[in-house]
């Protein structure tokens, strides 16, 4: 395995020379006309919406207008004929796109629910709003549009659609929206209805909705807020300048929780950030380098938490360091099923999550729902109450209310952070120690990921591989026991290949945004075993692609 290169600036404060040029971004967003013939400039929904940059013509006013018009045209087909809930995170492009979204929605005659205080709206608050509004209704159902590129760099933009279930749209819906949006782009957006900026009809179409107060008031339905309050923990919150920073302040006030804050003011350049492992700027709360401000101060606190700009991800830090999402998901599932008393629920994980969840679930006789990568696969399972918790290895998760009914059908980084506080307050110890108690009887796996450069043709082939494409019979001396290209739940394509042995596994999947593929792996043979597993995995996939391409 190639050594993972850590940039010399990783964990250091971002230099002024690397701050994004907001004026340039605005000009590119408004002026660049995307080329519909260019694959890189077409609308493309990945695992969570369309994302891109204004500077390279992949996220512009034209893209957003076409996507929103496509949603307006198709939403009735998806079951939505009521209002549309709209929110945006703190990326600069999100704020520009927000105006485009309102102009198009208003011109299409829709009622638009915007934040009552013109505040930012986190992903989980929008999911809650859609679920809350639709509960008990048979018609005039609402849907939602969230403007965010998640944890990606400050110059990025993104937009995603949440249908009537409140969670990320599935493949059938996103393909329809994508096709219609690209048809509009190819026609120069002549089919887009929109009002000009400042048109009074835009304001008339908007209804004020108190996303924050409603979300915060309901938290006791999903978290034991009394335990969190009476636990009197010392907690540091790294707000990362995100959409939920004011939510944290309201939570602290309402539930009498003593929280200290850093990075809790709006800064569209994200000048407070530290460089990630590769020298890029990402507001990734699950990265030890992006969370460097927190780890430096953890000695003064019981634990620290953080969220990315749209607050759908979490980061948990204790004296032992940043807890891996795999470890927290396992410990959280164990705690929730113990304290909530759920007896008819399963646990959801993606195909690249740790097998510790499977080992734990087997002991507890709890069904596991393994799905492809993408939180959209958990939405219906959470909505219907089939799983108590669903999570990803990339620090995205959500779980049910205490009574076993749906909370959110999209990722909720805030309740995951609050759950870490509840677990500490109730159990009297940190999440990492609770996880260590679980692995004692199951083995202690090592998890990692590497990226390998490849061509677009190779990426396309990787998606189409089947078990017979893998000719190897062993991985690091261990016989291969299983090869598959679909998930265990519903046999859905995983857009790659998974290879398993008795002591580990690896999954190879193409990147949705770059010319590379990702190899995830887990080994029960220690750190050296993980290196050997990923090294062998890369060689096996390279050989398979060479034969196929």
């Amino acid at each position: 395995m190639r050594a993972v290169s850590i940039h010399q600036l990783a964990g250091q404060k971002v230099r002024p020379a690397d701050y994004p040029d907001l004026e340039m971004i605005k000009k590119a967003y408004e002026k660049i006309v995307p080329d519909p013939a260019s694959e890189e400039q077409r609308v493309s929904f990945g695992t969570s919406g369309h994302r891109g940059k204004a500077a390279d013509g992949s996220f512009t006013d034209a893209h957003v207008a076409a996507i929103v018009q496509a949603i307006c045209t198709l939403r009735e087909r998806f079951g939505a004929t009521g209002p549309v809930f709209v929110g945006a995170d703190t990326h600069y492009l999100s704020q520009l796109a927000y105006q485009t979204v309102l102009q198009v929605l208003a011109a299409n005659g829709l009622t638009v629910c915007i934040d009552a205080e013109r505040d930012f709206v986190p992903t989980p608050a929008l999911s809650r709003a859609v679920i809350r509004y639709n509960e008990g209704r048979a018609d005039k159902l609402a849907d939602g549009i969230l403007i965010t590129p998640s944890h990606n760099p400050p110059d990025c933009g993104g937009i995603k659609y949440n249908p009537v279930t409140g969670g990320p749209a599935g493949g059938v819906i996103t393909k329809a929206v994508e096709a219609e949006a690209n048809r509009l782009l190819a026609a120069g957006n002549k089919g887009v209805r929109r009002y000009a900026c400042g048109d009074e009809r835009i304001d008339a179409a908007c209804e004020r909705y108190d996303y924050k107060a409603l979300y915060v008031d309901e938290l006791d339905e999903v978290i034991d807020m009394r335990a969190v309050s009476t636990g009197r923990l010392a907690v540091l919150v790294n707000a990362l300048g995100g959409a939920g920073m004011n939510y944290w302040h309201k939570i602290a006030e309402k539930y009498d929780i003593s929280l200290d804050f850093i990075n809790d003011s709006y800064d569209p350049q994200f000048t407070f950030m530290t460089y990630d492992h590769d020298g890029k700027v990402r507001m990734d709360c699950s990265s030890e380098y992006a969370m460097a401000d927190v780890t430096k101060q953890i000695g003064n606190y019981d634990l620290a938490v953080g969220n990315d700009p749209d607050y759908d991800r979490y980061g948990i830090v204790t004296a032992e360091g940043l807890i891996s999402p795999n470890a927290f998901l396992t410990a959280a599932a164990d705690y929730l099923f113990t304290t909530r008393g759920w007896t008819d629920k399963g646990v959801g994980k993606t195909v690249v999550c740790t097998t510790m969840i499977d080992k734990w679930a087997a002991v507890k006789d709890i069904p596991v729902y393994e799905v492809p990568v993408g939180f959209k696969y958990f939405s219906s399972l959470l909505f219907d109450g089939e799983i108590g918790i669903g999570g990803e290895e990339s620090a995205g998760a959500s779980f049910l209310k205490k009574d076993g009914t749906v909370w959110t059908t999209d990722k909720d980084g805030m309740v995951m952070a609050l759950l870490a506080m509840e677990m500490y307050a109730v159990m009297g110890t940190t999440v990492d120690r609770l996880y260590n108690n679980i692995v004692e009887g199951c083995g202690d796996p090592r998890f990692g990921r590497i990226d390998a450069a490849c061509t677009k043709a190779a990426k396309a082939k990787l998606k189409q591989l089947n078990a017979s494409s893998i000719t190897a019979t062993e991985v690091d001396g261990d016989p291969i026991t299983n090869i598959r290209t679909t998930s265990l739940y519903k046999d859905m394509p995983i857009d790659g290949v998974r290879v398993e042995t008795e002591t580990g596994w690896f999954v190879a999947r193409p990147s949705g945004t770059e010319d590379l593929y990702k190899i995830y792996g887990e080994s029960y043979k220690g750190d050296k075993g993980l290196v050997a597993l990923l090294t062998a995995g890369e060689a096996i996939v390279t050989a398979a692609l060479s034969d196929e391409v």
Side-chain angles (χ1 to χ4, degrees):
M1 183 179 77
R2 303 174 317 285
V4 177
S5 176
I6 303 301
H7 198 279
Q8 61 182 359
L9 294 175
Q12 298 182 32
K13 284 283 188 182
V14 174
R15 301 172 300 187
D18 290 327
Y19 295 166
D21 185 333
L22 302 187
E23 185 177 342
M24 183 276 291
I25 291 174
K26 186 173 189 289
K27 183 177 180 180
Y29 176 79
E30 295 174 345
K31 302 298 183 183
I32 290 181
V33 178
D35 178 7
S38 169
E39 183 179 345
E40 289 76 14
Q41 295 188 12
R42 290 169 61 83
V43 172
S44 177
F45 276 74
T47 56
S48 189
H50 172 79
R51 295 176 182 173
K53 296 184 177 184
D56 62 14
S58 58
F59 190 89
T60 66
D61 174 78
H63 288 102
V64 176
I67 290 169
V68 177
Q69 181 60 57
I71 291 170
C72 291
T73 301
L74 299 170
R75 65 192 295 265
E76 184 173 356
R77 184 193 305 178
F78 308 145
T81 55
V84 56
F85 289 85
V86 176
D89 76 0
T90 52
H91 280 80
Y92 185 60
L93 271 174
S94 296
Q95 297 307 300
L96 298 178
Y98 181 71
Q99 300 304 320
T100 305
V101 170
L102 297 187
Q103 291 165 20
V104 176
L105 291 175
N108 278 271
L110 299 182
T111 298
V112 187
C113 296
I114 63 172
D115 187 77
E117 300 175 345
R118 299 277 182 168
D119 199 357
F120 309 104
V121 178
T123 285
L126 185 129
S127 181
R128 274 299 303 151
V130 173
I131 292 170
R132 185 186 302 116
Y133 182 88
N134 289 340
E135 188 174 8
R137 294 178 184 269
D139 57 6
K140 303 293 184 182
L141 300 181
D143 51 5
I145 294 174
L146 207 289
I147 310 159
T148 173
S150 190
H151 64 291
N152 284 297
D155 61 344
C156 289
I159 182 170
K160 62 181 183 179
Y161 175 61
N162 287 23
V164 297
T165 58
V172 172
I173 291 177
T174 57
K175 284 182 173 62
V177 172
E178 183 180 297
E180 175 63 9
N182 282 321
R183 185 192 70 79
L184 290 166
L185 279 180
N189 272 2
K190 292 178 181 178
V192 173
R193 302 183 192 127
R194 70 185 297 178
Y195 290 144
C197 181
D199 192 309
E200 61 183 17
R201 291 172 293 183
I202 299 174
D203 192 61
C206 294
E207 289 187 358
R208 272 54 178 176
Y209 187 85
D210 203 341
Y211 288 91
K212 189 187 310 102
L214 290 166
Y215 177 91
V216 173
D217 287 349
E218 293 172 339
L219 279 172
D220 199 44
E221 297 177 20
V222 67
I223 294 290
D224 186 347
M225 296 304 295
R226 178 178 174 80
V228 175
S229 176
T230 58
R232 311 314 299 173
L233 303 176
V235 180
L236 177 64
V237 174
N238 185 0
L240 279 175
M245 52 190 168
N246 293 326
Y247 284 60
W248 275 119
H249 283 283
K250 193 169 185 69
I251 289 168
E253 178 184 356
K254 177 175 176 60
Y255 295 102
D256 187 26
I257 304 172
S258 179
L259 302 176
D260 287 344
F261 298 91
I262 58 172
N263 305 323
D264 59 338
S265 60
Y266 177 51
D267 177 1
Q269 291 182 300
F270 294 92
T271 59
F272 56 81
M273 280 303 301
T274 49
Y275 291 100
D276 206 353
H277 67 94
D278 57 358
K280 294 183 179 181
V281 182
R282 295 185 190 87
M283 290 68 73
D284 183 359
C285 51
S286 64
S287 164
E288 62 180 298
Y289 301 102
M291 290 281 279
D293 281 351
V294 167
T295 54
K296 291 175 184 175
Q297 303 180 54
I298 193 60
N300 300 318
Y301 299 93
D302 294 310
L303 75 161
V305 300
N307 301 108
D308 65 335
D310 71 315
Y311 274 50
D312 70 342
R313 299 188 185 208
Y314 62 86
I316 311 296
V317 180
T318 71
E320 303 299 319
L322 185 71
I323 299 171
S324 80
N326 274 321
F328 186 41
L329 182 60
T330 305
D334 183 60
Y335 175 82
L336 287 169
F337 276 84
T338 300
T339 59
R340 275 31 172 190
W342 297 330
T343 57
D344 58 346
K345 314 293 183 187
V347 60
K349 53 167 276 190
T350 68
V351 70
V352 295
C353 276
T354 177
T355 51
M356 274 302 303
I357 294 172
D358 304 83
K359 291 175 180 288
W360 163 83
V363 172
K364 300 287 186 176
D365 196 25
I366 293 171
V368 176
Y369 293 72
E370 184 212 77
V371 301
V373 173
F375 205 80
K376 60 188 176 184
Y377 297 105
F378 294 129
S379 290
S380 63
L381 294 170
L382 287 165
F383 189 81
D384 295 333
E386 290 189 61
I387 57 174
I389 182 172
E392 303 174 313
E393 53 73 38
S394 54
S398 190
F399 52 93
L400 301 179
K401 295 180 184 179
K402 289 183 282 188
D403 66 0
T405 60
V406 63
W407 169 249
T408 63
T409 48
D410 212 330
K411 294 175 282 192
D412 191 337
M414 281 184 286
V415 298
M416 293 301 290
L418 285 166
L419 181 63
M421 299 181 206
E422 178 189 330
M423 291 167 69
Y424 196 122
V426 172
M427 303 301 293
T429 189
T430 57
V431 171
D432 43 5
R433 291 171 186 165
L434 293 174
Y435 174 72
N436 289 338
N437 291 338
I438 297 172
V439 303
E440 279 183 3
C442 301
D444 189 5
R446 297 292 186 270
F447 180 89
R449 194 192 93 186
I450 60 173
D451 299 337
C454 67
T455 64
K456 287 184 173 59
K459 286 172 60 179
K461 290 292 184 181
L462 179 53
K463 281 189 175 185
Q464 303 302 320
L465 287 184
N466 54 49
S468 63
S469 303
I470 304 298
T471 57
T473 58
E474 63 178 39
V475 179
D476 184 34
D478 295 321
I480 292 175
T481 57
N482 191 30
I483 302 172
R484 55 188 172 92
T485 57
T486 58
S487 63
L488 294 179
Y489 176 64
K490 286 194 172 180
D491 219 25
M492 295 178 281
I494 62 173
D495 292 340
V497 62
R498 178 179 170 111
V499 178
E500 303 171 355
T501 71
E502 290 292 341
T503 60
W505 58 267
F506 73 82
V507 171
R509 296 181 66 255
S511 167
T513 56
E514 302 173 84
D515 288 337
L516 54 85
Y517 64 87
K518 304 173 183 180
I519 300 179
Y520 306 80
E522 182 175 59
S523 173
Y524 283 82
K525 296 166 64 176
D527 293 330
K528 290 183 178 179
L530 175 62
V531 171
L533 173 80
L534 292 173
T535 300
E538 182 179 3
I540 289 169
V541 173
T542 299
L545 292 178
S546 298
D547 291 339
E548 295 282 332
V549 176

